[in-house]
Amino acid sequence: MKKYQLMDWPTFILALIVLLAVVLPLILFQEASSEIIMDLNGFVTNQLGTAYLAIGLVIFIYCLYLAFGKYGGIKLGHSDDKPEFNTLSWAAMLFCAGIGSSILYWGIIEWAYYYDSPPFHISPRSEEAINYAASYGIFHWGPLAWSIYVLPALPIAYALFIKNENIIRISHACRPLLGKYTDSWLGKIIDVLFIFGLLGGAGTTLGLATPMIAEGVSVLTGVNSEALWLRILILLLSTIIFAFSSYTGIKKGIKKLSDINIWLTFILLAFVFIVGPTVFIMETTLSSLGLIFRDFFRMATWLEPFGGYNDIEETNFPQSWTVFYWAWWLVYSPFVGLFIARISKGRTIKEVILGTIIYGTLGCTLFFGILGNFGLWLELSGTFSVTEVLKEQSGPAAIMSILSQLPMSNIAIIIFVLTAIIYLSTTFDSGSYILAGATQKKIDGEPYRFNRLFWAFALSFIPLALLIISGNDSLTLLQTASIVSGAPLIIIFIILMVSFMKTLSSDRIKLEERSRLFKEKERKTLSIRYAKDDRWWE
Ligand code: NM2
C-alpha cells in the first residue's frame, strides 16, 4: 500500500463509479438511455447555445488580454529557466496532444456539409456558399478554439513552475476562488467532471476514427469495413500503441510518436499539395483566411435567433456545428491544457498563449487548406462528386473516395491510415498521462505507471465494450454525451479565469521584483561578458 501512497484514491474511485454509472445503464437500458441523452443533447445545444458561444468569445478575449497585457511577460518557471523543449518540438507536441485523428476526418470533409447546407441562410452551392464551405472548418479549428485549449494551461503551469506545486489537476487551479473547498467534495466534483468530460470527448473521437480507419483498411484489403472484428482490432491496436507510449513516459514515448507523426503528416500534406491543384489550394486557403478575418465576430456570435420566425428557415447550423465544436474543444481542453502546461516550462505567458493559438491554427489550416480544398476542387471541377458519395454512402466512404483520386492512391491511403492511428495514440497517451495525474495527490516526477496504464485502457475499453455489445449506436450516444459533458465545464472555466486573475494580481509585486532582480543579474553577467570580450583585442 505504501508504494502507492501518492494515489488520490477517493477521486480515483469516484471517477470509476461515475464511469460505471454512465456506461452500465447505456449497456443495460440502451433505448431509454439513448432517449435521455438525445433529449439532453437537444437541451444543451439549444438552451445553452448562447452560453457556449459567449464563453468561447470571452476566453479568446481573456487570452489576448493576458498575452498583451501587463502579465504577458511573466515566465512560467524560475527566472533563469530555459524552455525545456525547442520550439519546433514544443509546437509539434502540443499540436499532437490537442489534435487527434478527427482532423483527418473533418479536414477532408467538413466543407462538403457546408456546401450543401450553408450558414447565414445562403443558397446552397452558390459562390458564397462555397466561400463559407472552405472557411468555416478553419474557423472551427482556429484561434478561438485554440484559446479554449490554452486557458487551463496557464494556471496549471503557473502552479507547477512558479509555485513549485507538483499537482496537475484542474481543481487545484480553482483554489484561489474556491479556497478550502478545493480539498473538499467540491474540488473532487470538479476533477471528476473533467475526467467525465474527457471520456465523453474521447468517445466522439473514437466514434469518428474507428469507421474511418476501417474504411481505409477496407479500401486497401477488400475486407468489409463494417465488420465488427475490424473495428475492434483498430481500437486494440491504437490502445496498445498508446499504452506502450504512455508507459515509457512523456519524454521518450509521446515525443517520439509526435515526431514521427509530424513527418508522416508533412509527407501526406506535401504530396497532396504538389500533385493536387496547387494554385487552387493556395488561392482558396488565403481567401478563406481573409473571409474568417472579416467575419470573425459574426461567426463567433451567430446563433440564428430568427430561424423559424417570419417564414425564415431554421437551419440549426450554429447549434449543430459551432456549439458542438466549442463543447468538444471544452471537454478536451483541461486535459490538453494540463499537457501544454507540462511542456511549457521556461516560456512566458505570452509565448504560451500566442504560440498555442498561432501554431495550432496554422497546423489546422494546413489540413483544411490542403486536404479539404483538394476535395472541394474535385467537386467544383466536375472531376468527382464527393457530395454524392457523402449523401449516398457515408463520411468515411467520401473521405476514402477523395484520397482514391490521388495518383499512387494506395500509398496515400496507407500513410493516411497510419497517421490516423498514431494521432489516436498520441491523443490518448497524453490523455492517460493526465488522467493518471488527476487521480494522484501529487506526482513524483511522473504519475505512477500502473495508473497511466489503467487510464490508457479505460479510455478505450469503454467504447470497445460498447462496440462489442451494441455495434455503432452506442458510439453515436457517446458522441452526444461529449456535448452534454461539456456543459459543467462552462462554469469551471469561469472559475478558472477569475482564479487566475486573482493569483496574478495578488502575486504581482513579488513577480515584478523577481523580474527586476533577474534583469539586474542579466545585465551584470552581460557586462562581465562584454568586459571579457573587450579585452581580446587589447
Ligand atoms: N477537437 C480538437 O478527436 C480529436 O482529434 C481530438 C478534437 C477537440 C475537436 C480533439
Side-chain angles (χ1 to χ4, degrees):
M1 207 57 210
K2 221 175 172 192
K3 215 175 148 204
Y4 297 124
Q5 59 189 346
L6 296 183
M7 281 301 292
D8 178 358
W9 292 112
T11 309
F12 184 87
I13 290 164
L14 200 61
L16 256 186
I17 294 174
V18 171
L19 251 179
L20 292 177
V22 172
V23 172
L24 285 182
L26 275 182
I27 299 169
L28 298 176
F29 315 104
Q30 284 179 27
E31 264 182 29
S33 48
S34 113
E35 253 172 48
I36 293 174
I37 289 183
M38 289 306 177
D39 283 354
L40 268 175
N41 177 46
F43 176 80
V44 173
T45 48
N46 290 312
Q47 308 299 314
L48 299 182
T50 314
Y52 268 118
L53 259 55
I55 193 84
L57 202 57
V58 168
I59 292 173
F60 180 64
I61 293 168
Y62 180 91
C63 286
L64 290 188
Y65 168 73
L66 271 186
F68 293 107
K70 56 182 178 237
Y71 300 120
I74 295 173
K75 187 186 269 189
L76 298 163
H78 297 294
S79 30
D80 47 358
D81 275 343
K82 296 263 172 303
E84 199 178 341
F85 302 99
N86 69 49
T87 302
L88 193 68
S89 280
W90 178 75
M93 283 167 83
L94 82 88
F95 190 79
C96 285
I99 291 302
S101 49
S102 311
I103 199 165
L104 294 171
Y105 193 106
W106 294 116
I108 289 199
I109 204 75
E110 195 161 327
W111 65 269
Y113 290 86
Y114 306 154
Y115 178 67
D116 273 327
S117 317
F120 310 127
H121 303 108
I122 294 164
S123 55
R125 299 185 173 231
S126 60
E127 189 190 346
E128 243 197 320
I130 301 171
N131 269 321
Y132 281 107
S135 311
Y136 238 99
I138 302 180
F139 171 71
H140 286 146
W141 295 71
L144 210 152
W146 281 93
S147 62
I148 297 180
Y149 263 5
V150 78
L151 179 76
L154 304 168
I156 297 287
Y158 191 90
L160 271 175
F161 305 126
I162 295 187
K163 300 206 151 170
N164 297 325
E165 291 162 343
N166 211 1
I167 306 171
I168 50 171
R169 48 168 55 190
I170 213 72
S171 63
H172 187 66
C174 301
R175 190 177 290 276
L177 201 67
L178 299 185
K180 62 179 192 302
Y181 294 107
T182 317
D183 303 309
S184 72
W185 54 271
L186 196 58
K188 301 241 178 304
I189 289 182
I190 289 181
D191 287 327
V192 170
L193 282 176
F194 143 60
I195 292 172
F196 177 59
L198 180 52
L199 291 166
T204 310
T205 299
L206 283 168
L208 289 169
T210 322
M212 177 178 77
I213 296 171
E215 189 74 36
V217 175
S218 151
V219 171
L220 292 170
T221 60
V223 294
N224 177 8
S225 66
E226 311 257 305
L228 188 63
W229 66 265
L230 181 61
R231 296 184 176 192
I232 293 175
L233 194 74
I234 291 163
L235 276 175
L236 259 179
L237 190 68
S238 315
T239 314
I240 290 169
I241 299 179
F242 79 69
F244 180 73
S245 156
S246 169
Y247 189 75
T248 48
I250 193 166
K251 288 207 179 126
K252 282 188 230 134
I254 300 179
K255 192 167 175 295
K256 206 168 269 161
L257 277 180
S258 298
D259 286 347
I260 295 175
N261 228 23
I262 287 291
W263 285 112
L264 277 180
T265 309
F266 264 128
I267 293 171
L268 182 73
L269 291 177
F271 181 67
V272 178
F273 181 65
I274 292 164
V275 303
T278 312
V279 175
F280 177 87
I281 288 175
M282 290 192 297
E283 287 181 355
T284 314
T285 310
L286 195 63
S287 310
S288 298
L289 289 175
L291 183 68
I292 294 170
F293 198 71
R294 191 196 74 181
D295 276 9
F296 185 81
F297 288 102
R298 188 183 184 202
M299 290 167 148
T301 52
W302 182 58
L303 277 156
E304 198 187 37
F306 312 125
Y309 297 106
N310 279 9
D311 292 334
I312 299 169
E313 191 199 350
E314 189 166 15
T315 60
N316 261 331
F317 183 98
Q319 285 75 17
S320 359
W321 291 104
T322 315
V323 170
F324 156 65
Y325 262 119
W326 281 189
W328 198 13
W329 284 87
L330 270 177
V331 290
Y332 263 98
S333 162
F335 133 70
V336 180
L338 284 158
F339 187 77
I340 297 176
R342 285 276 305 155
I343 59 172
S344 298
K345 185 176 180 182
R347 293 179 186 273
T348 62
I349 289 187
K350 186 176 181 177
E351 272 170 12
V352 176
I353 293 179
L354 296 186
T356 307
I357 293 181
I358 292 171
Y359 292 123
T361 303
L362 269 182
C364 291
T365 305
L366 279 181
F367 279 87
F368 280 80
I370 296 177
L371 299 179
N373 288 331
F374 172 58
L376 179 62
W377 176 81
L378 291 174
E379 180 85 29
L380 294 181
S381 63
T383 315
F384 177 75
S385 176
V386 179
T387 46
E388 217 173 283
V389 185
L390 184 63
K391 232 176 276 160
E392 270 153 32
Q393 296 177 42
S394 62
I399 291 169
M400 290 307 150
S401 70
I402 292 175
L403 292 173
S404 302
Q405 299 298 312
L406 287 164
M408 298 190 288
S409 63
N410 275 358
I411 298 180
I413 293 176
I414 291 175
I415 296 185
F416 185 87
V417 167
L418 268 182
T419 320
I421 293 178
I422 301 183
Y423 265 128
L424 212 54
S425 314
T426 50
T427 302
F428 288 119
D429 62 14
S430 358
S432 56
Y433 186 96
I434 292 304
L435 286 173
T439 48
Q440 285 188 206
K441 283 192 236 129
K442 261 187 184 351
I443 53 168
D444 187 13
E446 294 198 329
Y448 291 128
R449 280 189 169 174
F450 98 89
N451 200 11
R452 294 209 304 265
L453 267 189
F454 171 81
W455 287 108
F457 281 93
L459 268 174
S460 86
F461 272 127
I462 296 143
L464 188 72
L466 289 169
L467 201 62
I468 296 168
I469 292 159
S470 55
N472 274 332
D473 282 359
S474 53
L475 282 177
T476 323
L477 292 185
L478 260 179
Q479 291 180 7
T480 330
S482 140
I483 300 172
V484 175
S485 60
L489 285 165
I490 297 181
I491 299 168
I492 298 180
F493 267 69
I494 296 173
I495 301 179
L496 263 185
M497 284 190 277
V498 178
S499 295
F500 193 47
M501 261 309 155
K502 258 185 112 177
T503 310
L504 287 175
S505 64
S506 67
D507 288 359
R508 198 174 55 115
I509 305 207
K510 261 188 265 160
L511 288 165
E512 276 168 6
E513 179 65 9
R514 188 180 81 146
S515 94
R516 194 186 58 76
L517 283 175
F518 181 64
K519 276 193 196 127
E520 217 162 70
K521 198 173 120 203
E522 223 174 24
R523 211 175 311 126
K524 266 190 209 141
T525 19
L526 271 183
S527 56
I528 293 169
R529 205 160 61 224
Y530 285 142
K532 266 197 210 139
D533 286 351
D534 280 352
R535 249 176 267 132
W536 69 268
W537 52 268
E538 275 172 0

Short mmCIF file of all heavy atoms in Angstrom, two decimals, residues 98-103 141 149 205 325 328-329 332 427, ligand 1:
data_model
loop_
_atom_site.label_atom_id
_atom_site.label_comp_id
_atom_site.label_asym_id
_atom_site.label_seq_id
_atom_site.Cartn_x
_atom_site.Cartn_y
_atom_site.Cartn_z
N GLY A 98 -3.26 18.01 -28.75
CA GLY A 98 -4.56 18.66 -28.88
C GLY A 98 -5.36 18.17 -30.05
O GLY A 98 -6.59 18.24 -30.07
N ILE A 99 -4.65 17.70 -31.05
CA ILE A 99 -5.32 17.31 -32.27
C ILE A 99 -5.19 15.81 -32.43
O ILE A 99 -4.11 15.25 -32.32
CB ILE A 99 -4.66 18.02 -33.47
CG1 ILE A 99 -4.97 19.51 -33.40
CG2 ILE A 99 -5.15 17.46 -34.80
CD1 ILE A 99 -6.41 19.88 -33.38
N GLY A 100 -6.30 15.18 -32.68
CA GLY A 100 -6.25 13.73 -32.86
C GLY A 100 -6.64 13.38 -34.28
O GLY A 100 -6.54 14.21 -35.20
N SER A 101 -7.10 12.18 -34.40
CA SER A 101 -7.45 11.69 -35.72
C SER A 101 -8.61 12.47 -36.34
O SER A 101 -8.80 12.45 -37.55
CB SER A 101 -7.84 10.23 -35.60
OG SER A 101 -8.77 10.11 -34.55
N SER A 102 -9.37 13.18 -35.50
CA SER A 102 -10.56 13.86 -36.03
C SER A 102 -10.23 14.90 -37.09
O SER A 102 -11.06 15.20 -37.94
CB SER A 102 -11.33 14.54 -34.90
OG SER A 102 -11.51 13.66 -33.85
N ILE A 103 -9.02 15.45 -37.04
CA ILE A 103 -8.71 16.48 -38.05
C ILE A 103 -8.60 15.84 -39.43
O ILE A 103 -8.87 16.48 -40.45
CB ILE A 103 -7.44 17.29 -37.70
CG1 ILE A 103 -7.46 18.58 -38.51
CG2 ILE A 103 -6.18 16.47 -37.94
CD1 ILE A 103 -6.51 19.61 -38.05
N TRP A 141 -11.64 25.32 -36.17
CA TRP A 141 -10.37 24.76 -35.67
C TRP A 141 -9.34 25.88 -35.55
O TRP A 141 -8.14 25.63 -35.61
CB TRP A 141 -9.86 23.67 -36.61
CG TRP A 141 -10.75 22.46 -36.69
CD1 TRP A 141 -11.98 22.38 -37.28
CD2 TRP A 141 -10.51 21.16 -36.13
NE1 TRP A 141 -12.50 21.12 -37.13
CE2 TRP A 141 -11.61 20.34 -36.42
CE3 TRP A 141 -9.44 20.60 -35.40
CZ2 TRP A 141 -11.71 19.00 -36.04
CZ3 TRP A 141 -9.53 19.27 -35.02
CH2 TRP A 141 -10.66 18.48 -35.34
N TYR A 149 -8.19 25.91 -25.60
CA TYR A 149 -7.19 24.93 -25.17
C TYR A 149 -6.15 25.53 -24.23
O TYR A 149 -5.71 24.90 -23.28
CB TYR A 149 -6.45 24.39 -26.40
CG TYR A 149 -6.98 23.07 -26.93
CD1 TYR A 149 -8.11 22.46 -26.40
CD2 TYR A 149 -6.32 22.43 -27.97
CE1 TYR A 149 -8.57 21.26 -26.90
CE2 TYR A 149 -6.77 21.21 -28.48
CZ TYR A 149 -7.90 20.63 -27.94
OH TYR A 149 -8.34 19.44 -28.43
N THR A 205 -14.24 11.10 -30.45
CA THR A 205 -13.08 10.85 -31.29
C THR A 205 -13.06 9.40 -31.80
O THR A 205 -12.89 9.16 -33.00
CB THR A 205 -11.80 11.13 -30.48
OG1 THR A 205 -11.81 12.50 -30.10
CG2 THR A 205 -10.56 10.84 -31.29
N TYR A 325 -18.84 22.19 -31.68
CA TYR A 325 -17.38 22.28 -31.66
C TYR A 325 -16.85 22.89 -30.37
O TYR A 325 -15.91 22.38 -29.77
CB TYR A 325 -16.87 23.09 -32.87
CG TYR A 325 -16.43 22.18 -34.00
CD1 TYR A 325 -17.03 22.23 -35.23
CD2 TYR A 325 -15.40 21.27 -33.81
CE1 TYR A 325 -16.64 21.39 -36.27
CE2 TYR A 325 -14.99 20.43 -34.83
CZ TYR A 325 -15.62 20.50 -36.06
OH TYR A 325 -15.21 19.67 -37.06
N TRP A 328 -16.95 20.44 -27.75
CA TRP A 328 -15.95 19.39 -27.95
C TRP A 328 -14.56 19.88 -27.54
O TRP A 328 -13.78 19.19 -26.90
CB TRP A 328 -15.99 18.93 -29.41
CG TRP A 328 -15.34 17.61 -29.68
CD1 TRP A 328 -14.96 16.68 -28.77
CD2 TRP A 328 -15.00 17.09 -30.96
NE1 TRP A 328 -14.40 15.60 -29.43
CE2 TRP A 328 -14.42 15.83 -30.77
CE3 TRP A 328 -15.15 17.57 -32.27
CZ2 TRP A 328 -13.98 15.03 -31.82
CZ3 TRP A 328 -14.72 16.79 -33.32
CH2 TRP A 328 -14.14 15.53 -33.10
N TRP A 329 -14.25 21.12 -27.94
CA TRP A 329 -12.95 21.69 -27.53
C TRP A 329 -12.92 21.86 -26.01
O TRP A 329 -11.89 21.63 -25.38
CB TRP A 329 -12.71 23.05 -28.21
CG TRP A 329 -12.30 22.96 -29.66
CD1 TRP A 329 -13.15 22.88 -30.72
CD2 TRP A 329 -10.98 22.93 -30.22
NE1 TRP A 329 -12.44 22.80 -31.90
CE2 TRP A 329 -11.10 22.84 -31.62
CE3 TRP A 329 -9.69 22.99 -29.67
CZ2 TRP A 329 -9.99 22.80 -32.48
CZ3 TRP A 329 -8.59 22.95 -30.53
CH2 TRP A 329 -8.75 22.85 -31.92
N TYR A 332 -12.14 18.62 -24.11
CA TYR A 332 -10.74 18.21 -24.25
C TYR A 332 -9.79 19.19 -23.56
O TYR A 332 -8.64 18.87 -23.27
CB TYR A 332 -10.36 18.12 -25.73
CG TYR A 332 -10.43 16.72 -26.30
CD1 TYR A 332 -11.54 16.30 -27.01
CD2 TYR A 332 -9.39 15.83 -26.13
CE1 TYR A 332 -11.63 15.01 -27.53
CE2 TYR A 332 -9.45 14.54 -26.64
CZ TYR A 332 -10.57 14.15 -27.35
OH TYR A 332 -10.63 12.88 -27.84
N THR A 427 -3.09 11.28 -28.85
CA THR A 427 -4.13 11.94 -28.06
C THR A 427 -4.36 11.15 -26.77
O THR A 427 -4.46 11.70 -25.70
CB THR A 427 -5.45 12.02 -28.84
OG1 THR A 427 -5.19 12.72 -30.04
CG2 THR A 427 -6.50 12.77 -28.06
N1 NM2 B 1 -11.01 18.58 -31.08
C1 NM2 B 1 -9.80 19.31 -31.43
O1 NM2 B 1 -10.54 13.84 -31.78
C2 NM2 B 1 -9.59 14.56 -31.78
O2 NM2 B 1 -8.96 14.76 -32.81
C3 NM2 B 1 -9.22 15.24 -30.53
C4 NM2 B 1 -10.79 17.13 -31.16
C5 NM2 B 1 -11.41 18.98 -29.75
C6 NM2 B 1 -12.05 18.96 -32.00
C7 NM2 B 1 -9.58 16.66 -30.42
#
